[in-house]
Amino acid sequence: MRLERCMSITTSITNGLSEREANDAITAHVCKGPQQHEEVCLGLFTLLLTEPPQAQRCYRDLTLVNRDGMNVVLMKINQILMEKFLKLQEVCRTQLVWLVKELVKSGVIGADGVLMTLMKQIAGGDISIKNLWLAESVLEILVEQREWVLKSGMLVAMSVYTYLRLIVDHGTPNLLPFRQREVDFCIGLLRERFMECFIIGRDLVRLLQIVARIPEMELLWKDLLHNPQTLSPQFTGILQLLTARTSRKFLACRLTPDMETKLLFMTSRVRFGQQKRYQDWFQRQYLSTAESQSLRCDLIRYICGVVHPSNEVLSSDILPRWAIIGWLLTTCTSNVAASNAKLALFYDWLFFNPEKDSIMNIEPAILVMHHSMKPHPAITATLLDFMCRIIPNFFPPLEGQVRQGVFNSLNFIMEKRVLAHLAPLFDNPKLDRELRSMLRERFPEFCNSPSPPTEAKMEESLPLEMDNHVLDKEDGCYDNTDATFSDDEEELNNKGKKREFRFHQLKETYIEEPADITPFVDQLDETLKERVLQLQKGSDTETHCEVMQEIVDLILEEDFESEQMSTLASCLAELFKSHFRGDVLPEEITEESLEESVCKPVCLIFRNLCQMQEDNSSFSVLLDLLAELYQKQPKIGYHLLYYLKASKAAAGKMSLYESFAQATALGDLHTCLMMDMKACQEDDVRLLCYLTPSIYSEFPDETLRSGELLNMIVAVIDSAQLQELMCHVMMGNLVMFRKDSVLNILIQSLDWETFEQYSTWQLFLVHSIPLETIIPILQHLKYKEHPEALSCLLLQLRREKPSEEMVKMVLSRPYHLEDQFTTSILRHWAAKHDDLLGEHIKALLIKNNSMPRKRQSLRSSSSKLAQLTLEQMLEHLDSLRLNLSNTKNNFFSQTPILQALQHVQASCDEAHKMRFSDLFSLAEDYEDSTKQHKPRRKAPASSPRSRKGAAPQTCNEEDSVSSSASEEEDSKPKASKRKRKGVGSDSD
């Protein structure tokens, strides 16, 4: 908005004047003071971006009227490049690159910094047209202005680092000419200014190693290894370069500002266990193409070398670095990229010096191996194998130094208590014998553990998906004290089931301190500063609201400088911090109490937002203020949700939250919503339950697709709140499941706590969703690990009439003597729906017996896991037979069951006949009875054992058996009719 105002001021000054008169008018206006100077410079800058035909004239005027060496313009360009570049329209983006080129041509001081920021926007692993255009445009500037480039050692190094990395992405035939220009550029600078490039450090060798097969690069590589003096007299050899740690500036320059923001967000704000949504978003945005595989190295090097969390973060439940790296490794699909990614992970190990290098650079690799041992042993094995083989193979002449570097790393890891002992990792039975032998040979010092068995067992840790830093809290601080553990592990083993340990924030007693806005208030203009100080001095809510409204009016004025928005947000967040403590929802919910609860000063912003049209410019200004506030005070998100539901003034305006979410740094509705509901869950469970119906009804696409929100809810509610939610569902106010996603959510819930699972099933059962929708979940349930889901399913199945799909899923469960689920539900159906169950079992038995190839087709049915085998069915039926043997139930005397057993017996092998002889004897008794009643039917009356299994005879025999049975059972006419239908369907 400020740029538009500056442009309109500049245009109004020159409007209707000749070129000379316009220059005089602009010069006169600039001389009035710093503010006028800034307005004109930014006005000309805006015209230059938006009006290409006037660009040349605007730049000329800019060079004439500026009084600060273009400092105002350079700062604005940097701001746009870091925050808004992706949102620029194509014309503005083209003009901005043109302007940078002109600044470089003019030799403006500070243009090198702008050019490096522009280079940062060239994404690795991206060969889209826009990205290639930007890479070519920047390279063109660097080549054309080579003499200017050589004046800045940092720009030389940054350019070489950037384009050495980009060469890897440009290997397709259509990009080879561009790649050759990149190679020529890098070779030229490396040979001419090697010592400027030397400041890159050891990662220069890593990049050169990846491109060393290109002919020109191969020559340079040989000189680097064997003739270092040809590159520079001060360069003594490759070891000198490998022992130099790479600066964070270089590692960070290969991530775009947006990538960097998202990655830092995940490592500072996202809780462990809730990361999948963010990882999926990152995957879709940056890692979804084949070319993007190379980006993983940049990300891993950035995480290891730049993202160094504080001890407070390390000991919290924030997503740890090793988990992100583990995700990057497990999702890597290219062998070459995987090898390079492993090298990127271990690169700081190879020449590690405890006196110069940081423990934080080597910590992620050891923790990835440690935490992956249980859930992903292949990842641990491949990393350990890589670590062993890299020692002799990285560079044979330096094998001793590499061995020492790895030894130093492992020693430092133990010294800093990252891991107490390495023996449980190096000598783990999950590793194959050859690898364990190689580890003992390479690292004998670390393979003998003095720790007792329980401690060794602890070192196996929890799996990658579940570990929530419970066991590593003390270790995460990297102090020199011994780690101590609670009885959580013992409790875990006793349960025999992996559980996620949850952290619930305790209600703290706050000592109210006066708000300190001293660092910010002096940066505001006088009018705004006066109002903010009034807010600080005021005591009653009414006065606060009046002043707040005046502040809102001020920022909506046209001359408000948007640069003050962040400072104002910092002041407001500090002044209103008490508003975000304690419960938001009134104890007694009435219309009056709700309206009173939304009469806080911060709600004035919400109210003004609700009164505006979304296409109004003022609307976007208030959204910007809220977005800035959100960065300072994340609780503002769920307070907005509460206001939109509780306030009469906001009736029907819940969609405003979507606009708010898109205006935040997250820029994504789902991500923002989940973050806000998580914050609400931690602060106020009552408010979470109050908001739930509105959230689900207003944002169904964001809430019903996954179990993330549902898990937040069931993790904290009590039984009364559960009953309240169930009532909302039954009254039609709340829908928490829909057919297309309910099965996936229930499968996700299998890893939740017991009460959480029972609550989930209770909420599911009050929805009118057919049981057939979720019956495939049976394929995922193990009787020892999922008793909650099996109990709920058992109760629901006993209320249902069995369908063929239900019976198939029940019978397809693996048979275990201790697992009574299948037998119990079959027994219940045999008592209540014996005829229906008999028909379904007959159909399934004959289908799985007569055509063995059909078993394969089951895998392409509704559940890919469904593998119903004949042996499974016979095992379950034999178990049912034993269970019914001492009862009066006549289920196994039904004709369809006996026909099916007869059919199976005729074609199965002798081993199965012996194993299920008692079951098949029922069919033999039935066969004998049919012979007595039908002696004249020669072919059908023959024993199944004497038949050859011809298909046409099967139908005739079953018709014969059916008619014989109908003559025998005159007292049951309906059964005869049913049997004929079953035979007919079988012949079909």
Side-chain angles (χ1 to χ4, degrees):
M1 178 178 285
R2 189 185 179 203
L3 289 178
E4 293 176 5
R5 183 167 57 81
C6 291
M7 184 175 69
S8 63
I9 290 171
T10 306
T11 306
S12 64
I13 294 170
T14 60
N15 194 24
L17 300 178
S18 65
E19 189 172 331
R20 184 172 180 178
E21 291 171 338
N23 288 338
D24 292 341
I26 289 175
T27 304
H29 188 74
V30 164
C31 293
K32 291 181 181 178
Q35 183 178 347
Q36 288 75 14
H37 170 264
E38 188 174 340
E39 287 172 349
V40 169
C41 288
L42 292 180
L44 290 169
F45 168 70
T46 310
L47 278 170
L48 189 151
L49 292 186
T50 55
E51 303 290 341
Q54 300 184 46
Q56 204 73 44
R57 181 182 63 80
C58 288
Y59 182 71
R60 185 198 62 202
D61 292 345
L62 194 56
T63 57
L64 290 173
V65 302
N66 88 88
R67 300 287 186 271
D68 62 350
M70 293 279 194
N71 190 49
V72 170
V73 175
L74 292 174
M75 287 176 62
K76 181 56 68 175
I77 293 174
N78 265 319
Q79 182 187 356
I80 290 174
L81 286 173
M82 292 299 292
E83 300 173 9
K84 307 287 185 184
F85 188 75
L86 294 176
K87 298 179 181 178
L88 288 181
Q89 294 181 358
E90 189 174 349
V91 171
C92 295
R93 194 183 299 116
T94 304
Q95 288 302 110
L96 188 61
V97 173
W98 178 86
L99 176 58
V100 172
K101 186 176 182 178
E102 293 301 311
L103 291 170
V104 170
K105 278 184 183 178
S106 303
V108 174
I109 297 173
D112 55 342
V114 169
L115 188 56
M116 285 188 278
T117 307
L118 183 61
M119 268 195 291
K120 186 175 171 67
Q121 283 290 353
I122 307 171
D126 182 359
I127 56 171
S128 63
I129 295 174
K130 284 183 181 179
N131 199 57
L132 287 173
W133 168 80
L134 183 59
E136 290 188 46
S137 299
V138 174
L139 183 62
E140 185 181 326
I141 296 172
L142 293 168
V143 171
E144 287 182 0
Q145 305 300 320
R146 181 182 175 83
E147 292 303 317
W148 175 83
V149 170
L150 294 177
K151 294 176 183 178
S152 170
M154 179 56 72
L155 180 57
V156 169
M158 198 71 77
S159 304
V160 168
Y161 189 85
T162 297
Y163 281 94
L164 271 179
R165 163 63 189 88
L166 294 176
I167 286 171
V168 182
D169 300 331
H170 303 151
T172 55
N174 60 314
L175 296 178
L176 288 179
F178 177 48
R179 190 181 80 169
Q180 189 58 47
R181 285 159 53 202
E182 291 175 312
V183 169
D184 294 342
F185 171 74
C186 292
I187 291 288
L189 287 181
L190 282 165
R191 287 198 175 278
E192 189 175 336
R193 295 297 176 96
F194 183 78
M195 290 314 291
E196 276 89 337
C197 300
F198 181 88
I199 63 173
I200 295 172
R202 60 176 64 118
D203 275 80
L204 176 60
V205 179
R206 183 178 63 85
L207 294 181
L208 285 170
Q209 192 174 3
I210 295 172
V211 298
R213 291 181 181 274
I214 298 172
E216 295 91 338
M217 288 294 181
E218 189 174 4
L219 293 173
L220 179 74
W221 182 249
K222 288 178 179 177
D223 286 342
L224 187 72
L225 298 180
H226 308 299
N227 302 302
Q229 296 291 307
T230 60
L231 297 173
S232 172
Q234 292 85 31
F235 183 47
T236 58
I238 194 170
L239 183 61
Q240 182 187 3
L241 194 52
L242 286 167
T243 52
R245 181 178 168 187
T246 298
S247 167
R248 292 183 176 196
K249 293 179 183 178
F250 295 104
L251 299 177
C253 82
R254 288 319 318 126
L255 267 63
T256 66
D258 190 56
M259 289 181 199
E260 196 171 4
T261 301
K262 297 299 188 294
L263 212 52
L264 290 173
F265 178 84
M266 282 199 283
T267 54
S268 62
R269 293 278 300 277
V270 176
R271 283 178 169 75
F272 195 26
Q274 303 292 333
Q275 71 267 28
K276 187 175 186 305
R277 170 66 50 187
Y278 311 99
Q279 289 174 349
D280 289 347
W281 182 92
F282 201 93
Q283 178 94 18
R284 288 194 304 272
Q285 193 79 2
Y286 298 115
L287 298 171
S288 59
T289 63
E291 301 79 28
S292 64
Q293 294 290 327
S294 63
L295 179 61
R296 293 172 194 274
C297 297
D298 302 333
L299 295 170
I300 290 172
R301 291 301 294 143
Y302 178 84
I303 292 168
C304 292
V306 181
V307 183
H308 290 176
S310 64
N311 283 344
E312 183 183 359
V313 172
L314 287 169
S315 58
S316 71
D317 61 341
I318 295 297
L319 179 63
R321 299 185 299 162
W322 62 261
I324 300 178
I325 291 174
W327 161 65
L328 291 171
L329 291 173
T330 53
T331 54
C332 193
T333 56
S334 161
N335 290 334
V336 174
S339 180
N340 289 335
K342 284 181 278 188
L343 181 62
L345 180 61
F346 282 103
Y347 207 60
D348 289 312
W349 288 52
L350 306 183
F351 298 90
F352 184 78
N353 183 345
E355 295 179 3
K356 295 180 181 179
D357 294 314
S358 168
I359 183 67
M360 299 300 286
N361 289 40
I362 60 174
E363 177 240 42
I366 197 71
L367 289 183
V368 169
M369 294 188 285
H370 171 68
H371 290 287
S372 299
M373 180 63 82
K374 220 167 191 177
H376 303 291
I379 289 289
T380 302
T382 189
L383 290 177
L384 287 171
D385 182 77
F386 183 88
M387 183 179 72
C388 290
R389 296 182 189 280
I390 198 69
I391 293 173
N393 294 317
F394 178 73
F395 186 46
L398 295 180
E399 181 180 349
Q401 287 87 339
V402 175
R403 185 187 302 278
Q404 186 61 45
V406 175
F407 179 84
N408 289 343
S409 301
L410 294 170
N411 212 37
F412 206 49
I413 282 165
M414 291 184 65
E415 182 184 324
K416 291 297 182 181
R417 308 293 295 173
V418 180
L419 290 183
H421 302 287
L422 295 174
L425 179 65
F426 285 3
D427 199 26
N428 196 293
K430 289 193 175 185
L431 303 176
D432 64 67
R433 190 173 301 172
E434 183 183 349
L435 177 56
R436 290 163 68 184
S437 174
M438 184 162 57
L439 285 164
R440 280 194 294 270
E441 181 186 340
R442 292 270 197 275
F443 310 107
E445 306 90 343
F446 304 108
C447 290
N448 298 318
S449 173
S451 57
T454 50
E455 190 171 356
K457 190 172 184 182
M458 296 286 284
E459 287 299 320
E460 289 180 20
S461 186
L462 294 173
L464 189 67
E465 299 88 344
M466 289 295 185
D467 187 349
N468 212 354
H469 274 203
V470 175
L471 303 181
D472 291 316
K473 266 194 170 185
E474 292 82 1
D475 289 346
C477 298
Y478 303 133
D479 55 21
N480 292 314
T481 58
D482 290 335
T484 57
F485 300 96
S486 67
D487 293 328
D488 289 343
E489 168 106 359
E490 184 182 348
E491 181 182 338
L492 190 68
N493 292 335
N494 290 339
K495 287 185 179 180
K497 184 172 180 179
K498 302 164 193 169
R499 297 292 192 189
E500 179 180 355
F501 291 89
R502 301 187 180 281
F503 294 83
H504 298 297
Q505 190 173 14
L506 298 175
K507 296 288 183 183
E508 298 178 27
T509 303
Y510 292 99
I511 300 173
E512 195 64 43
E513 297 179 356
D516 181 16
I517 57 173
T518 309
F520 314 110
V521 71
D522 291 333
Q523 300 176 39
L524 301 173
D525 64 38
E526 288 304 317
T527 311
L528 201 53
K529 179 179 177 180
E530 182 184 344
R531 299 294 187 279
V532 170
L533 291 174
Q534 286 179 14
L535 267 184
Q536 186 180 26
K537 294 174 184 176
S539 57
D540 62 294
T541 304
E542 188 175 346
T543 304
H544 278 165
C545 289
E546 289 175 1
V547 177
M548 190 64 214
Q549 184 59 54
E550 292 177 14
I551 291 175
V552 169
D553 293 338
L554 281 173
I555 66 174
L556 294 180
E557 292 180 0
E558 289 188 2
D559 59 348
F560 176 73
E561 296 181 3
S562 57
E563 284 77 5
Q564 295 189 86
M565 196 72 84
S566 179
T567 307
L568 175 61
S570 299
C571 292
L572 296 178
E574 179 66 20
L575 290 171
F576 296 150
K577 61 185 178 182
S578 60
H579 295 178
F580 298 101
R581 292 174 184 160
D583 295 335
V584 181
L585 194 65
E587 194 64 37
E588 184 180 349
I589 300 176
T590 63
E591 287 189 12
E592 292 77 13
S593 64
L594 288 174
E595 280 299 323
E596 186 179 345
S597 69
V598 294
C599 288
K600 297 177 180 178
V602 73
C603 295
L604 260 294
I605 306 173
F606 305 155
R607 183 181 302 171
N608 279 271
L609 202 64
C610 292
Q611 293 169 352
M612 294 176 182
Q613 299 294 325
E614 293 195 23
D615 56 354
N616 191 327
S617 60
S618 300
F619 182 83
S620 61
V621 173
L622 282 184
L623 281 182
D624 289 342
L625 175 61
L626 280 179
E628 291 290 346
L629 264 173
Y630 189 61
Q631 288 192 327
K632 323 293 181 189
Q633 176 52 268
K635 296 181 182 182
I636 198 83
Y638 73 77
H639 278 72
L640 173 59
L641 285 169
Y642 173 68
Y643 179 85
L644 294 174
K645 176 167 183 178
S647 174
K648 291 181 181 177
K653 296 281 188 176
M654 188 63 83
S655 60
L656 286 179
Y657 179 80
E658 185 171 356
S659 302
F660 161 74
Q662 291 168 352
T664 64
L666 299 173
D668 175 61
L669 173 59
H670 187 96
T671 305
C672 196
L673 184 62
M674 293 303 116
M675 288 285 297
D676 292 340
M677 294 305 284
K678 184 64 179 174
C680 180
Q681 179 222 41
E682 294 171 353
D683 292 345
D684 192 344
V685 177
R686 285 183 65 239
L687 179 59
L688 178 73
C689 295
Y690 176 77
L691 291 176
T692 293
S694 298
I695 299 303
Y696 270 96
S697 60
E698 293 291 337
F699 309 111
D701 291 338
E702 313 305 324
T703 54
L704 296 174
R705 289 183 301 178
S706 74
E708 190 175 348
L709 178 57
L710 179 64
N711 187 218
M712 287 183 210
I713 296 167
V714 297
V716 293
I717 59 174
D718 57 27
S719 52
Q721 290 161 335
L722 172 63
Q723 189 261 347
E724 184 183 344
L725 290 175
M726 292 171 68
C727 291
H728 279 301
V729 174
M730 295 194 69
M731 291 188 294
N733 301 329
L734 174 61
V735 176
M736 302 181 80
F737 300 98
R738 62 185 181 194
K739 289 183 180 180
D740 61 347
S741 57
V742 62
L743 177 60
N744 181 48
I745 291 175
L746 289 176
I747 291 171
Q748 289 178 40
S749 74
L750 298 178
D751 293 322
W752 300 352
E753 294 282 359
T754 293
F755 181 78
E756 296 169 14
Q757 290 195 54
Y758 278 130
S759 299
T760 300
W761 279 95
Q762 294 275 34
L763 289 168
F764 163 72
L765 292 175
V766 294
H767 288 71
S768 300
I769 297 177
L771 195 62
E772 285 85 351
T773 308
I774 58 101
I775 198 68
I777 197 176
L778 274 173
Q779 302 295 308
H780 299 264
L781 304 183
K782 299 177 181 177
Y783 73 100
K784 284 187 176 179
E785 296 180 24
H786 306 122
E788 302 92 345
L790 284 169
S791 302
C792 295
L793 261 178
L794 191 64
L795 289 174
Q796 192 62 16
L797 282 170
R798 80 188 294 271
R799 298 188 181 96
E800 301 280 334
K801 284 187 177 181
S803 65
E804 186 173 331
E805 181 68 14
M806 284 184 194
V807 176
K808 184 184 90 171
M809 288 294 172
V810 167
L811 289 173
S812 63
R813 288 179 57 72
Y815 176 77
H816 292 284
L817 190 61
E818 298 175 15
D819 183 7
Q820 299 297 318
F821 178 88
T822 300
T823 304
S824 60
I825 191 59
L826 288 178
R827 174 180 172 132
H828 175 78
W829 282 339
K832 298 291 185 182
H833 311 285
D834 57 337
D835 54 348
L836 198 56
L837 180 61
E839 294 290 351
H840 293 326
I841 289 178
K842 174 189 172 182
L844 291 169
L845 273 173
I846 293 176
K847 189 185 298 182
N848 278 269
N849 179 61
S850 60
M851 293 185 67
R853 290 182 184 177
K854 284 191 176 180
R855 294 177 196 170
Q856 297 175 5
S857 67
L858 286 169
R859 294 173 189 165
S860 61
S861 64
S862 60
S863 172
K864 291 183 180 179
L865 296 170
Q867 294 182 1
L868 181 59
T869 64
L870 182 64
E871 185 173 358
Q872 275 180 332
M873 295 182 69
L874 292 175
E875 285 173 332
H876 289 307
L877 287 175
D878 201 39
S879 176
L880 179 62
R881 178 189 63 78
L882 290 170
N883 192 269
L884 294 175
S885 59
N886 295 324
T887 68
K888 295 181 181 181
N889 191 296
N890 297 321
F891 177 73
F892 282 98
S893 64
Q894 291 184 96
T895 301
I897 295 292
L898 298 172
Q899 288 174 345
L901 289 174
Q902 191 180 42
H903 187 280
V904 172
Q905 185 185 24
S907 58
C908 69
D909 55 40
E910 290 300 323
H912 282 84
K913 286 180 183 178
M914 290 288 292
R915 183 178 173 188
F916 301 107
S917 58
D918 291 340
L919 190 62
F920 287 135
S921 67
L922 300 173
E924 290 174 356
D925 294 342
Y926 170 71
E927 186 180 355
D928 293 341
S929 67
T930 57
K931 285 180 181 179
Q932 294 172 9
H933 284 83
K934 289 284 182 179
R936 289 174 291 181
R937 298 288 295 270
K938 294 180 182 178
S942 61
S943 169
R945 292 188 180 90
S946 65
R947 289 194 311 240
K948 299 284 178 80
Q953 293 181 357
T954 304
C955 250
N956 295 335
E957 180 191 352
E958 288 171 359
D959 287 339
S960 169
V961 171
S962 179
S963 60
S964 171
S966 63
E967 291 171 10
E968 229 178 322
E969 301 181 17
D970 292 334
S971 61
K972 296 182 181 179
K974 290 182 181 178
S976 174
K977 182 177 181 181
R978 188 187 70 249
K979 291 158 197 162
R980 284 196 298 272
K981 181 179 178 182
V983 174
S985 64
D986 180 42
S987 64
D988 289 342

